[in-house]
Amino acid sequence: MKLQCTSQSGYALLLFVLVILGMGGMGLAGYVEISRKDVEQQRFLHNKRVLEEAKQALLMYAYRYPQFNNEGPGRLPCPDIDGDFEGDTDCTLVGRLPWNHTNLDFYDIRDAYNQQLWYALSDSFDNTGGGGEINSDTPGTITIFGQRGDLMYDGAANGVVAVIFAPGEPLAGQDRNANPDDAAHFLDAFGGYDNSNFVDEESDDLSDGFRLGPVYDIAQNTIVMNDQMILITADEILEMAERAVLSTYRDSINDYFARFNHYPWLYNYDVDEVGGTAPTLDDYPVNVVFDTERDTRLVGRPPPYNIPTPRVGRVPSFYGAQFTEDGSLSAATELILDLDADFPLNPAAVTFNETFPAAATGTLLPLDAAPVNYTFNAAAAANMLDGLSFVDVDPNTFGTGGHGQIVMESSAAETVGSAVQYYWDEEPIAIGNGWILCGDDGDGIPEVSDCNRDAGGINDPGGPNITASQVLRVDIGFSVLNPTTTVDLDYDPPPTITYQGADNTRHARIKGDFLGADVDVSTFPVVISYQLDEHYFLSFDIQRSGFLDPTGQVQVNSFALETRYYPELPRWVFNNDWHESAMLAYPDDYAPDAATAVPFPAIPPCTTGVDCLSLGSTSLPVNNKVAIMMLAGDHDWIDEGLDGLSNDIGDVFDAGNDDLDDIFDADVAGGNDMFMIISEL
């Protein structure tokens, strides 16, 4: 039977084919859409990865900054404006990420569209030296708006520190080939927000901020801002800076402990200084004598200082290294000066009120074998130096013809040390040595009775004075002027440094011994006076007196300065006020006045769970800490008077960490204190 096709069946077949083709088209379109979204997702994830990688590089740069600079942690390079991919000097504009900047240790990283990253920085955190101090209170200044235009970070109050951009696909109107250095062809603008037109002005103006993308224009049904960015907040960069500060303190305190086997005396927050003035944060080490410090300021707890108690308080420090090329900030101190000098006893070299008799002959007397020792009177607060520092004027030649200055500060012109020597003229004994230093009667104190002579004319210190003689008293004083006295010297080799530990009577000490230093005597504050008794027999009666001009008359062969010594911290710690919020705690057995000093950990200084320090945390054991360093986060020191600063530390440290006891909490709810364990059992 022959089959026949009708028009109806033809139309049905055509309709079936069209339906099948339509279903295939819909499937293909769905597949294309899925693929497009997958590509977009991959591009987003790629950009997210490279942005995070760039952020971590910048954070590590901020942490490591003190390793290659002296300004302290938390600083970042400025954006690259001139195309060499190194940070420039203008941080107020947006530019490319300076991936090639020295010590950043990064590479030419690209976004998903093979575009280099862009970057903006708050000039409060720049590394050009003009951004001011950086510490836990330093805010960011860049304003950030959300995708809907809402204010997320206010540059006038709590802005972010830095923004890194992946510019993404070019949008309408952007021609990057023709304008490779124009930010407007990489970063987007819409609705009054312009990510390419940035000036860091510490405000919430649109020109001082950036708007997060992507932003959709509903009217045009298209993306009008596709800048993908990552933020570096103040909290993030300051956490890195605080960790660097704590590490610096840890190293300094460990060096101190390794040298002396005890921790330093600490300053507390309890009492006023001598004279009734409340202590401030910048004036320690303060100008007070040790006994007063020990009983009132060096304990972390109210006196008596020797009760068994943990020691908690601020760390007195040298900011720099005393007597070295780096130099140190000035610190108040007692002063011990050992001086080896030659000066004349020839009366012709001395301007006396009257002329010496012709019989009174003398000679140049070298004192190499008997150095004059100046010992500071530590019991008199008025004789404390307000400040002492050593400055290496030519650091490039330190130790090979170096030139330096010793700077002494005093609120009044005064003699800060003195020594007395008595000499007798050997005439009529014809030895020919002229003036000779009188002996010692055994008490170690120079006195005129040391010049007594027996019946044969031989020096008999302390014995009866049978034979009259000429006696010359020489007073050597070391004086400082108000406000400063500066001694110039050339030295080669560098000074020899020695140390002495602290104890119940004093701080630790450092001694710099300048051997062979060529001292400019005109700047050396030594005063030499003479008093002559032409016929000393029963008592010393002054007949002649006068002063020696040291210029051209005194030869300084060597001298040594011995001063207080504290843990040595870099100067940037002080310059950025990190010292204001740093606190150390250790058990009483590790104080400088501990009954026994034993190497740790041979005999533990405390017992776990009994009298060690406690540090509470979700991940740390508790009562087994030997020394803890604490750094307050964002805080505000306001001296409210009353008990010095003790009633104000609650404004700085978190609750439970502000009571100066032996229990600390690293996980205070809403707190921001950061801890570093110096030593533990």
Side-chain angles (χ1 to χ4, degrees):
M1 183 176 178
K2 187 177 181 179
L3 296 178
Q4 296 182 358
C5 293
T6 65
S7 61
Q8 289 89 349
S9 62
Y11 284 121
L13 179 61
L14 178 61
L15 180 62
F16 174 76
V17 172
L18 291 176
V19 169
I20 294 299
L21 290 176
M23 292 177 63
M26 291 176 60
L28 180 61
Y31 174 77
V32 171
E33 179 66 16
I34 292 173
S35 298
R36 183 183 66 80
K37 290 184 177 180
D38 182 64
V39 170
E40 289 179 354
Q41 177 68 6
Q42 293 303 316
R43 286 171 174 166
F44 172 83
L45 293 176
H46 174 88
N47 289 347
K48 182 175 183 291
R49 177 183 63 79
V50 300
L51 289 171
E52 289 176 344
E53 193 174 340
K55 175 177 178 176
Q56 291 305 312
L58 289 170
L59 288 175
M60 285 305 302
Y61 177 92
Y63 175 83
R64 296 186 301 112
Y65 194 68
Q67 299 175 16
F68 40 82
N69 204 285
N70 58 6
E71 293 183 43
R75 300 191 182 276
L76 294 175
C78 292
D80 167 44
I81 305 299
D82 58 13
D84 61 1
F85 303 105
E86 295 185 2
D88 292 317
T89 58
D90 188 355
C91 280
T92 63
L93 303 176
V94 64
R96 282 193 170 90
L97 180 73
W99 57 265
N100 196 38
H101 193 78
T102 304
N103 297 310
L104 183 58
D105 297 335
F106 205 49
Y107 64 100
D108 185 12
I109 197 169
R110 304 292 181 110
D111 74 358
Y113 285 89
N114 198 35
Q115 297 296 320
Q116 291 165 325
L117 304 185
W118 287 70
Y119 166 68
L121 175 67
S122 167
D123 60 4
S124 296
F125 289 82
D126 69 57
N127 65 353
T128 63
E133 64 185 33
I134 293 178
N135 54 46
S136 299
D137 294 329
T138 306
T141 57
I142 298 177
T143 298
I144 299 295
F145 299 95
Q147 292 170 293
R148 294 175 297 179
D150 51 310
L151 181 64
M152 297 178 59
Y153 292 91
D154 184 353
N158 62 342
V160 302
V161 171
V163 183
I164 312 170
F165 304 85
E169 183 181 14
L171 299 180
Q174 292 180 336
D175 186 348
R176 296 173 178 176
N177 292 327
N179 303 277
D181 298 319
D182 188 347
H185 289 267
F186 293 84
L187 306 180
D188 307 327
F190 176 75
Y193 301 91
D194 188 347
N195 288 347
S196 69
N197 183 26
F198 167 75
V199 178
D200 188 12
E201 296 177 336
E202 301 181 23
S203 71
D204 58 1
D205 293 339
L206 299 187
S207 63
D208 186 40
F210 301 100
R211 183 171 178 177
L212 298 177
V215 176
Y216 293 87
D217 182 0
I218 298 176
Q220 301 180 39
N221 192 28
T222 186
I223 295 178
V224 290
M225 300 184 78
N226 67 356
D227 298 331
Q228 189 172 336
M229 58 186 83
I230 194 169
L231 310 178
I232 299 179
T233 67
D235 287 343
E236 289 172 324
I237 200 166
L238 291 176
E239 179 181 351
M240 301 298 288
E242 289 166 359
R243 292 185 185 278
V245 171
L246 285 172
S247 296
T248 301
Y249 266 98
R250 177 199 59 203
D251 294 344
S252 173
I253 292 167
N254 281 339
D255 287 346
Y256 182 98
F257 183 84
R259 181 167 284 130
F260 302 120
N261 203 41
H262 60 70
Y263 291 113
W265 288 106
L266 304 177
Y267 280 174
N268 67 19
Y269 300 90
D270 281 343
V271 299
D272 293 350
E273 291 179 33
V274 174
T277 303
T280 63
L281 294 166
D282 291 333
D283 65 359
Y284 70 91
V286 291
N287 186 351
V288 292
V289 297
F290 180 82
D291 289 345
T292 302
E293 287 183 311
R294 181 197 61 199
D295 292 340
T296 58
R297 298 200 64 183
L298 301 177
V299 294
R301 279 285 185 75
Y305 74 94
N306 58 349
I307 60 175
T309 176
R311 307 302 171 101
V312 186
R314 293 185 290 167
V315 182
S317 306
F318 273 137
Y319 299 101
Q322 196 68 286
F323 306 132
T324 70
E325 180 177 355
D326 294 334
S328 171
L329 287 180
S330 179
T333 183
E334 303 95 348
L335 172 67
I336 295 177
L337 170 69
D338 289 331
L339 174 65
D340 182 347
D342 294 338
F343 60 90
L345 293 184
N346 189 339
V350 183
T351 304
F352 282 88
N353 296 333
E354 298 180 32
T355 304
F356 265 138
T361 59
T363 185
L364 184 69
L365 178 67
L367 295 184
D368 293 355
V372 177
N373 181 260
Y374 293 89
T375 302
F376 216 96
N377 181 7
N383 284 342
M384 283 280 293
L385 281 179
D386 293 334
L388 176 73
S389 60
F390 175 78
V391 179
D392 190 59
V393 177
D394 187 1
N396 295 323
T397 58
F398 185 81
T400 55
H403 178 69
Q405 293 179 332
I406 297 170
V407 182
M408 291 163 283
E409 304 170 31
S410 178
S411 57
E414 57 185 339
T415 299
V416 297
S418 62
V420 176
Q421 300 283 13
Y422 285 92
Y423 300 88
W424 64 286
D425 191 342
E426 293 177 312
E427 302 298 337
I429 300 176
I431 299 178
N433 289 336
W435 296 103
I436 190 171
L437 184 67
C438 296
D440 179 33
D441 60 7
D443 62 5
I445 302 175
E447 48 201 343
V448 70
S449 60
D450 292 336
C451 300
N452 291 354
R453 301 166 70 185
D454 61 17
I458 304 301
N459 185 208
D460 183 20
N465 192 27
I466 308 300
T467 303
S469 60
Q470 292 189 102
V471 172
L472 183 65
R473 171 182 168 133
V474 179
D475 288 81
I476 307 173
F478 191 79
S479 300
V480 293
L481 304 176
N482 178 16
T484 60
T485 299
T486 301
V487 178
D488 288 303
L489 67 150
D490 295 319
Y491 51 89
D492 187 1
T496 301
I497 306 297
T498 55
Y499 302 88
Q500 295 182 38
D503 57 29
N504 191 40
T505 64
R506 60 177 173 77
H507 289 280
R509 291 187 177 278
I510 180 174
K511 184 177 183 179
D513 202 338
F514 292 82
L515 300 173
D518 184 8
V519 177
D520 183 352
V521 177
S522 66
T523 67
F524 202 71
V526 62
V527 178
I528 301 176
S529 64
Y530 297 81
Q531 296 172 342
L532 175 68
D533 186 341
E534 298 174 339
H535 191 80
Y536 166 66
F537 187 64
L538 297 178
S539 62
F540 186 77
D541 301 315
I542 302 174
Q543 283 104 28
R544 304 286 188 271
S545 63
F547 290 89
L548 175 71
D549 180 2
T551 305
Q553 301 290 340
V554 176
Q555 172 63 48
V556 177
N557 302 312
S558 66
F559 66 96
L561 294 175
E562 185 174 335
T563 72
R564 290 184 178 189
Y565 179 74
Y566 310 104
E568 295 177 357
L569 288 165
R571 193 170 299 188
W572 58 258
V573 174
F574 181 87
N575 291 343
N576 291 281
D577 290 337
W578 288 109
H579 63 291
E580 293 186 359
S581 56
M583 191 154 65
L584 175 66
Y586 57 84
D588 188 67
D589 287 339
Y590 262 160
D593 61 339
T596 59
V598 294
F600 177 74
I603 302 178
C606 60
T607 303
T608 299
V610 178
D611 58 349
C612 290
L613 303 178
S614 295
L615 179 59
S617 173
T618 57
S619 59
L620 296 173
V622 183
N623 187 280
N624 69 335
K625 305 300 181 286
V626 174
I628 298 172
M629 195 73 207
M630 180 171 66
L631 191 67
D634 186 18
H635 64 277
D636 188 15
W637 268 114
I638 300 176
D639 185 7
E640 300 167 358
L642 301 178
D643 301 319
L645 296 168
S646 64
N647 62 318
D648 309 315
I649 61 176
D651 300 329
V652 179
F653 299 103
D654 297 338
N657 298 329
D658 59 354
D659 50 9
L660 304 179
D661 64 7
D662 59 353
I663 301 174
F664 302 91
D665 191 349
D667 290 330
V668 176
N672 56 15
D673 291 343
M674 183 176 289
F675 291 86
M676 179 165 286
I677 298 170
I678 305 297
S679 178
E680 62 183 330
L681 297 180

